[in-house]
Amino acid sequence: MPRKSSQPRLFADAPAKLPPGLFHWPGLVDPARQEALLAAVRDVAGSAPFAHARTRMGLTSAAMTNAGDAGWWSDLKGYRYETRNPATGAPWPPMPAIFREVVRAAVAGTPWPDFAPDACLINFYGVGARMGLHQDRDEKDFAQPIVTVSLGDDGDFQIGGMTRGERAEVLIVRSGDALIMGGDSRMRFHGIRKIHPGTSPLATLAGRISLTFRKAL
Ligand code: MN
């Protein structure tokens, strides 16, 4: 999925003051590829159904599943990556080829062009779902970025500092956008404040799906 122009579209439609290590690619995935990505997500969910994870604070309001060699999971034992789906005992479904193609396009022109994720956490946000501010810190190597691709409804992505108390800014992420947190931004607190129901450009998707690609193992 090459970009339409050879010019990187760094920050073209995004706030001018993104901090170092944070990259936002609005519309990286064109509408036809968004549909193909959504079909691939549905294939994954056909064998590893979406479920709400249990955390110490209750069930997550976003439902989740995974593809790849490892999947992020939470229950009362805590946050971790598992190579098998604890709900079924089966390995997570392999990452569909289109997932890898989208990641390759997202990291081209960043400091991590060879990023090779082994885990994709897929979150579904229905009406009212959110994700509180947190850091992604269950991966082995924090030198590897986290790549997020959005489908469906617009979401208010909060991006904060290295401590929970720092002020978080809102960056609106839309269907087809990619967001990369690496380098000095890898450990920023982040979350989804809310989604905007009814804004999905995809006819068969009400709500927001995020695909977050990680090098977990
Ligand atoms: Mn996260």
Side-chain angles (χ1 to χ4, degrees):
M1 166 182 339
R3 295 191 182 96
K4 289 193 181 78
S5 145
S6 59
Q7 282 292 106
R9 304 188 314 157
L10 267 178
F11 313 152
D13 304 303
K17 55 179 178 58
L18 291 185
L22 184 65
F23 294 79
H24 181 207
W25 305 108
L28 176 81
V29 185
D30 68 34
R33 304 288 281 176
Q34 291 173 44
E35 296 284 3
L37 201 48
L38 178 58
V41 167
R42 288 184 169 138
D43 276 350
V44 167
S47 47
F50 280 100
H52 297 269
R54 184 169 295 282
T55 72
R56 294 175 196 87
M57 294 181 298
L59 292 182
T60 57
S61 61
M64 54 190 68
T65 187
N66 290 275
D69 293 338
W72 188 87
W73 188 257
S74 176
D75 57 23
L76 295 178
K77 286 190 283 185
Y79 305 152
R80 63 195 183 276
Y81 284 93
E82 291 278 3
T83 56
R84 287 172 175 269
N85 181 353
T88 63
W92 297 106
M95 241 189 267
I98 190 172
F99 283 24
R100 297 189 184 283
E101 290 167 25
V102 167
V103 169
R104 270 200 299 278
V107 295
T110 75
W112 312 280
D114 299 321
F115 175 58
D118 56 14
C120 178
L121 169 61
I122 306 169
N123 281 301
F124 172 74
Y125 296 81
V127 173
R130 57 188 302 281
M131 180 82 65
L133 283 177
H134 66 277
Q135 289 174 303
D136 291 344
R137 51 184 322 138
D138 302 315
E139 301 73 31
K140 287 227 167 67
D141 181 4
F142 296 156
Q144 300 293 320
I146 304 276
V147 174
T148 300
V149 176
S150 298
L151 292 175
D153 284 335
D154 296 351
D156 287 356
F157 187 91
Q158 290 181 291
I159 179 88
M162 305 303 165
T163 61
R164 188 180 297 279
E166 279 172 70
R167 175 190 165 79
E169 309 280 344
V170 170
L171 182 66
I172 296 180
V173 287
R174 297 192 163 90
S175 197
D177 288 10
L179 190 69
I180 300 159
M181 294 176 65
D184 290 345
S185 286
R186 172 64 177 74
M187 300 309 289
R188 285 183 185 279
F189 277 82
H190 60 281
I192 291 289
R193 189 174 65 174
K194 63 171 184 172
I195 66 161
H196 297 266
T199 56
S200 172
L202 300 174
T204 64
L205 176 60
R208 173 177 183 264
I209 287 173
S210 70
L211 297 88
T212 60
F213 295 94
R214 297 103 184 277
K215 180 78 176 75
L217 304 179

